[in-house]
Amino acid sequence: QVQLVESGGGLVQAGGSLRLSCAASGRTFSSYAMGWFRQAPGKGREFVSTINWSGDSTYYADSVKGRFTASRDNAKNTMYLQMSSLKPEDTAVYYCAARSGSWALNPYDYGYWGQGTKVTVSS
C-alpha cells in the first residue's frame, strides 16, 4: 500500500511555471514506478508523464514534451513535475499515481492515486 498526496497547484498566467509535488507514504516509495495524469473539465484522464523507480527513465506526452520535467527524490519519498511555458490548455486537475513494476502510460495500469491538485492557466 502507498498513499499519495499532491500539492503545488494554483493559478498562473500563460507562460508561467509551477512545480507540483507528490508525497508518498506507506510501503517503499522506490519500489514503484510513478506517473502524472491530468483531467480537464468534461474530459477523460490524460497521460502526462511517467518515471521509473530510480528516476533515470522518463516518458512524456507529446503535448508537454520539452515543457514539463518529471523527477523524483526517493530519499524524500517525493515525485515532482516541473511545468514551464504553461498554456491555457494545461488547465486541469493533476493526479499522481503509483504502480509496481515498470512505468506505464495507461491510467488503468496504476493502482494507487492521489486526490489531485488543480492547475489553472489564465490567458
Side-chain angles (χ1 to χ4, degrees):
Q1 287 278 355
V2 62
Q3 293 79 42
L4 304 173
V5 179
E6 302 94 336
S7 61
L11 174 64
V12 63
Q13 288 188 332
S17 299
L18 279 176
R19 189 177 80 158
L20 305 183
S21 298
C22 173
S25 61
R27 289 186 59 188
T28 307
F29 175 68
S30 61
S31 67
Y32 291 94
M34 303 293 294
W36 285 102
F37 295 81
R38 66 187 182 187
Q39 188 164 14
K43 295 188 176 181
R45 196 159 294 190
E46 175 190 22
F47 167 76
V48 174
S49 71
T50 184
I51 188 167
N52 72 334
W53 69 273
S54 64
D56 62 1
S57 179
T58 55
Y59 189 82
Y60 299 93
D62 288 343
S63 59
V64 307
K65 199 173 296 182
R67 300 188 297 121
F68 291 10
T69 302
S71 62
R72 64 191 295 166
D73 185 340
N74 287 341
K76 295 183 178 179
N77 284 2
T78 303
M79 175 179 65
Y80 305 98
L81 185 68
Q82 179 66 49
M83 306 186 296
S84 303
S85 301
L86 282 161
K87 305 174 181 180
E89 50 264 44
D90 294 319
T91 295
V93 177
Y94 283 72
Y95 299 89
C96 66
R99 71 182 303 270
S100 299
S102 59
W103 50 251
L105 278 61
N106 192 325
Y108 294 102
D109 289 330
Y110 288 80
Y112 304 99
W113 291 84
Q115 83 290 346
T117 185
K118 187 174 182 180
V119 172
T120 303
V121 183
S122 63
S123 56

